[in-house]
Amino acid sequence: MTGTDLITAKEVVKESLLGSTVAEDVQLSAQSTATFEKHSRKDESGGEAYMSEEDFVNAIAPEGEDYHKIKREQYAILFRVADHRNTGKISLHDWGTFENLLGKPDAEYEIAFRLFDVDRTGTVKYEDLKKLYELNKGPNTIPFDWNCEWATLYSGGKKRRHDLTYPQFSQMLRGLQGERIRQAFHHFDKDGDGYIEPEDFQRIILETAKHKLSDHLLENLHTLCNISTGSKISYANVRAFQNMIREMDLVEMVIRQATAESTDGKITRTDFLHEAARITRFSLFTPMEADILFHFASLDNPSGRLGLTDFAKVLDASWRNPVFNAYEKIGSGNGVKTATGSILLSVLESVHHFALGSLAGAFGAFMVYPIDLVKTRMQNQRSSRVGEMLYKNSWDCAKKVVRNEGFKGLYSGVLPQLVGVAPEKAIKLTVNDLVRGHFSSKDGSILLKHELIAGGMAGGCQVVFTNPLEIVKIRLQVQGEVAKSLEGTPRRSAMWIVRNLGLVGLYKGASACLLRDVPFSAIYFPTYNHLKRDLFGESQTKKLGVLHLLTAGAIAGMPAAYLTTPCDVIKTRLQVEARKGESQYTSLRHAAKTIWKEEGFKAFFKGGPARILRSSPQFGFTLAAYEVLQNVLPMPGKEKDERTHVGVSVAGALPGQEGPLNYLRSRNALKIILDLDEEFGRVKIPGKEKWMGLPRAMGGNGGVSS
């Protein structure tokens, strides 16, 4: 290779790391340009658009993301990387270069490299690395010796120090956290017996890895001593813990695979080690590392069999104590205002969901309403003698309704039904969820008797609203056949029926309504949940699609509807106004005895098939409509951002990273930088000596006295 070739190769490497210094055109997407225009400002002198440090932070760290681990102010570190010309301003070209950098597969390490390459030479000087560390470390940081043997292996000794290339620097960063933990352990191991106190271990992890760990882990670090005898923590424990957090992504992959193969979505320590040995070339995790993982994951569920929800508290760094948000808002300057706004937003979201549920329920009810009308007409047919029967069967009933009353006759009384769907669905689903939540254990399991109680209570509560609407609907549904049999009978409106019945009359047949709705919900909800889990295999690792949910809902509605048909027949007879010559029912018991005596046992199942045909598709239409409405009519004020999903979200456990791509890549870069010190990038006011000691590229004079 000639000298010219060597120079050219160096320039190519330097340009790939630093970006071209020539003002060449950068290919920017429309979204990138829009982001720059949104956050930039105009230069008063030249009129050119630029980003200040504050504008830059707003662009890569939008408000509303999670900053309880890495503070939003720390994202300003990356401004030094984007401002590679050291002007204090970022042009559109600079922004394009930075976005291009974020798109690289090794962006996180390259960003860190550019931060410490303060002179833009394509290498990192040992002194610059040390000075930046000293400037950004916390006031009470555990000491770190940059002249240790580990550091000299990368940068050379004092007499033969050399600059670090990008590959050397990134490899050094890879092992930095482990060396910091080793030195910190040695610092606290005063007597040299290889053990430290739990509070010392907690401080070590808080200073070296807080930005990568969940609140659950951080709050329970001191319990690590419980995995072995004694009250102290050994160096082996510390290294095993550090190995686990370093391989979190691989740990999660093993857990996902193992739980997916488990019948109940839960695994034991042995299952984890077996799966790790199966999918890796070597047995990667030691028994102690597995013990540590299961120790922290099982603190709230010491059963030995854990699911993704348990592991999420360990593996998901964004997991936080649910109480944290409330205290955070109260402690802020605008605590009351923020809390009030949050409550208002929660109320608005509830109203939004209620409205969508009402529309979806109304759609489902409307689609199956003709079947419901046929069912009611069949149930109200009181004679068992052929000559006196209006309808032979459900199909005959439907044909005669259309022939005698027109197609509109199939929708007689539909309005009260649509009005009644909203409170019925809202109350039924809400009460069922609340009671199930009360009886459910931490892993989500619930006893069958508690499922029945939850469903029954849900059905009972809805009667308060649905009984008045049911009686109005039924009387509107049957008045068509009354008008046909008795000429001159006027058609009544819903309001006339309400005024005529009065408050007490609106609850006629409420006992029968309770007798129908309580067992219906007690049968439906447990059946629905067991079908999802046992037939379609829903678990913490498998989320069902819409088709499976619709099928489960339809199947669950069949036994619930048919088995409660006798109660529905009695309710209908009590609520329909008896015509001349027909039996008058005085009570629930009297109605049941009279129907049995006059029409026989089969009469209790009149309209049963129609009831099944109505209930099953109604649940299907309702769920499908709800899914569509959520996409068509999103919550006002909540725009659908183009977000990047990394990983798979499963049943609320172990969610993948979610957020704008710039934010995710910037955050990951900061995680690497913060391995040096948790305080890196926090706002500090350095003294005169520290300012003078800064490299020239950062506003100092490189340590040269003036």
Side-chain angles (χ1 to χ4, degrees):
M1 179 180 289
T2 65
T4 304
D5 293 334
L6 185 60
I7 293 173
T8 303
K10 287 183 177 179
E11 289 176 348
V12 170
V13 172
K14 182 177 179 179
E15 183 173 321
S16 68
L17 292 175
L18 303 179
S20 175
T21 57
V22 181
E24 59 186 25
D25 292 335
V26 179
Q27 296 297 323
L28 285 172
S29 66
Q31 184 179 357
S32 298
T33 304
T35 302
F36 179 82
E37 292 176 350
K38 177 181 178 181
H39 296 284
S40 62
R41 63 183 72 187
K42 293 291 184 180
D43 191 333
E44 295 180 358
S45 57
E48 294 183 1
Y50 73 94
M51 280 186 184
S52 64
E53 182 176 299
E54 180 184 356
D55 301 328
F56 176 78
V57 172
N58 290 335
I60 66 169
E63 294 184 0
E65 299 296 342
D66 184 6
Y67 298 109
H68 88 287
K69 283 290 188 299
I70 300 176
K71 300 305 179 185
R72 192 165 180 263
E73 66 194 53
Q74 292 179 285
Y75 284 78
I77 300 172
L78 305 182
F79 180 79
R80 303 173 192 170
V81 177
D83 181 25
H84 60 85
R85 295 174 298 166
N86 302 319
T87 62
K89 299 177 180 179
I90 294 179
S91 65
L92 178 61
H93 179 274
D94 297 332
W95 174 251
T97 302
F98 182 74
E99 281 215 323
N100 181 60
L101 172 61
L102 288 177
K104 292 186 176 183
D106 57 343
E108 292 82 1
Y109 280 103
E110 192 166 330
I111 286 174
F113 177 79
R114 294 193 184 202
L115 175 67
F116 289 97
D117 179 17
V118 293
D119 290 329
R120 311 292 192 245
T121 61
T123 58
V124 172
K125 293 180 173 60
Y126 170 82
E127 291 300 325
D128 291 344
L129 175 61
K130 187 176 178 180
K131 285 178 181 178
L132 279 175
Y133 168 78
E134 293 294 335
L135 178 64
N136 284 277
K137 72 176 184 179
N140 299 313
T141 298
I142 300 171
F144 182 77
D145 181 14
W146 282 98
N147 294 315
C148 64
E149 183 180 357
W150 175 86
T152 59
L153 290 174
Y154 286 97
S155 61
K158 290 183 179 180
K159 296 182 179 180
R160 301 183 62 85
R161 193 84 69 192
H162 63 81
D163 297 342
L164 296 170
T165 63
Y166 171 59
Q168 292 171 339
F169 176 80
S170 57
Q171 198 62 44
M172 182 180 183
L173 278 188
R174 169 78 170 164
L176 177 61
Q177 188 181 67
E179 177 61 18
R180 287 190 66 202
I181 290 175
R182 188 196 68 79
Q183 289 193 25
F185 186 93
H186 183 71
H187 173 77
F188 288 112
D189 183 18
K190 303 296 185 182
D191 54 7
D193 65 348
Y195 289 91
I196 59 175
E197 297 294 336
E199 54 268 25
D200 295 331
F201 168 71
Q202 188 168 21
R203 183 182 171 188
I204 291 173
I205 299 303
L206 287 175
E207 287 197 18
T208 59
K210 178 182 177 181
H211 56 286
K212 294 181 177 179
L213 304 179
S214 69
D215 286 359
H216 174 79
L217 260 182
L218 297 175
E219 292 167 1
N220 294 285
L221 287 171
H222 61 281
T223 66
L224 182 60
C225 62
N226 295 332
I227 71 168
S228 57
T229 57
S231 59
K232 292 188 175 184
I233 295 174
S234 68
Y235 184 66
N237 296 148
V238 176
R239 294 303 297 185
F241 181 86
Q242 197 259 334
N243 289 343
M244 288 298 296
I245 63 176
R246 187 180 61 185
E247 301 294 343
M248 278 294 194
D249 290 337
L250 183 57
V251 171
E252 180 175 340
M253 184 181 74
V254 173
I255 290 173
R256 285 187 183 277
Q257 189 68 26
T259 52
E261 295 173 358
S262 173
T263 55
D264 61 352
K266 297 181 180 181
I267 60 172
T268 63
R269 172 184 174 278
T270 303
D271 297 331
F272 172 80
L273 289 174
H274 279 315
E275 188 63 28
R278 189 183 70 82
I279 67 176
T280 57
R281 187 175 295 274
F282 304 103
S283 184
L284 190 65
F285 300 105
T286 66
M288 181 179 287
E289 290 165 0
D291 287 340
I292 290 174
L293 172 65
F294 274 76
H295 164 72
F296 285 107
S298 64
L299 287 175
D300 296 330
N301 179 27
S303 64
R305 290 188 63 81
L306 306 177
L308 284 181
T309 304
D310 303 305
F311 289 112
K313 297 178 181 180
V314 177
L315 302 179
D316 180 15
S318 64
W319 189 93
R320 63 199 302 187
N321 191 320
V323 182
F324 184 88
N325 284 326
Y327 284 110
E328 186 181 56
K329 290 173 182 175
I330 294 172
S332 64
N334 299 322
V336 176
K337 184 177 179 180
T338 305
T340 304
S342 178
I343 293 172
L344 179 60
L345 179 61
S346 178
V347 171
L348 291 175
E349 287 182 344
S350 298
V351 172
H352 177 252
H353 291 311
F354 183 88
L356 293 187
S358 300
L359 290 173
F363 174 73
F366 183 83
M367 295 300 292
V368 300
Y369 190 80
I371 303 175
D372 186 54
L373 181 134
V374 170
K375 182 261 313 179
T376 302
R377 295 279 181 96
M378 288 296 297
Q379 289 179 343
N380 190 49
Q381 183 170 255
R382 307 195 180 193
S383 177
S384 60
R385 292 188 290 272
V386 177
E388 298 179 10
M389 291 175 61
L390 287 175
Y391 315 116
K392 298 177 182 178
N393 50 46
S394 296
W395 179 245
D396 181 58
C397 176
K399 289 194 297 182
K400 287 181 177 178
V401 170
V402 174
R403 185 172 63 244
N404 297 329
E405 305 170 44
F407 182 77
K408 291 174 63 177
L410 292 173
Y411 284 92
S412 298
V414 69
L415 186 59
Q417 172 73 348
L418 299 184
V419 173
V421 162
E424 176 190 352
K425 299 301 180 189
I427 293 170
K428 181 185 288 188
L429 295 174
T430 301
V431 172
N432 179 69
D433 288 344
L434 286 174
V435 179
R436 282 183 68 92
H438 175 74
F439 286 118
S440 296
S441 60
K442 291 182 178 180
D443 62 355
S445 61
I446 182 173
L447 297 176
L448 178 60
K449 64 178 182 180
H450 292 152
E451 288 186 285
L452 295 172
I453 292 173
M457 291 183 67
C461 291
Q462 77 176 51
V463 173
V464 176
F465 289 90
T466 55
N467 196 83
L469 294 159
E470 281 269 315
I471 193 170
V472 174
K473 178 199 73 172
I474 287 173
R475 295 205 173 189
L476 288 171
Q477 285 179 335
V478 300
Q479 71 174 351
E481 63 183 24
V482 174
K484 182 68 179 176
S485 59
L486 299 175
E487 293 186 8
T489 304
R491 282 187 172 272
R492 306 297 187 182
S493 66
M495 291 305 300
W496 185 92
I497 295 173
V498 171
R499 287 194 297 268
N500 185 58
L501 287 171
L503 181 61
V504 176
L506 286 172
Y507 283 93
K508 185 178 182 181
S511 56
C513 200
L514 279 169
L515 193 62
R516 179 199 65 177
D517 289 346
V518 170
F520 179 91
S521 296
I523 295 171
Y524 176 77
F525 284 111
T527 305
Y528 175 65
N529 284 289
H530 281 277
L531 282 170
K532 289 195 299 178
R533 186 177 69 242
D534 301 332
L535 181 61
F536 297 111
E538 183 185 49
S539 67
Q540 293 174 320
T541 60
K542 181 181 179 182
K543 187 177 181 180
L544 298 184
V546 175
L547 182 60
H548 286 148
L549 294 174
L550 296 180
T551 305
I555 295 174
M558 292 178 183
Y562 193 75
L563 293 175
T564 56
T565 299
C567 306
D568 195 45
V569 170
I570 295 172
K571 178 193 73 69
T572 300
R573 297 291 181 89
L574 285 170
Q575 292 180 335
V576 171
E577 188 176 4
R579 297 192 288 269
K580 185 180 292 186
E582 293 182 337
S583 300
Q584 293 277 356
Y585 304 118
T586 58
S587 66
L588 184 69
R589 185 176 180 181
H590 177 257
K593 288 176 64 177
T594 304
I595 294 171
W596 177 281
K597 181 179 178 181
E598 295 181 355
E599 304 172 52
F601 178 75
K602 286 185 177 181
F604 287 107
F605 288 90
K606 284 183 177 180
R611 184 165 158 77
I612 292 174
L613 289 173
R614 184 209 65 171
S615 297
S616 294
Q618 182 175 0
F619 282 107
F621 282 123
T622 300
L623 287 172
Y626 187 69
E627 293 288 337
V628 173
L629 286 171
Q630 282 184 314
N631 293 324
V632 176
L633 300 173
M635 174 71 180
K638 281 195 172 183
E639 298 179 0
K640 290 185 177 180
D641 298 330
E642 184 177 340
R643 305 178 78 82
T644 300
H645 300 269
V646 183
V648 182
S649 179
V650 182
L654 288 178
Q657 299 182 66
E658 183 177 323
L661 179 60
N662 288 345
Y663 163 71
L664 290 176
R665 300 305 294 269
S666 300
R667 184 183 66 182
N668 290 342
L670 282 176
K671 286 182 179 180
I672 293 176
I673 295 170
L674 294 184
D675 281 349
L676 276 85
D677 195 277
E678 283 289 330
E679 295 294 316
F680 213 97
R682 295 288 182 91
V683 177
K684 301 182 183 70
I685 306 298
K688 181 179 179 181
E689 291 184 1
K690 287 189 175 181
W691 272 123
M692 298 301 291
L694 281 174
R696 289 186 175 87
M698 301 182 66
N701 66 352
V704 180
S705 58
S706 56

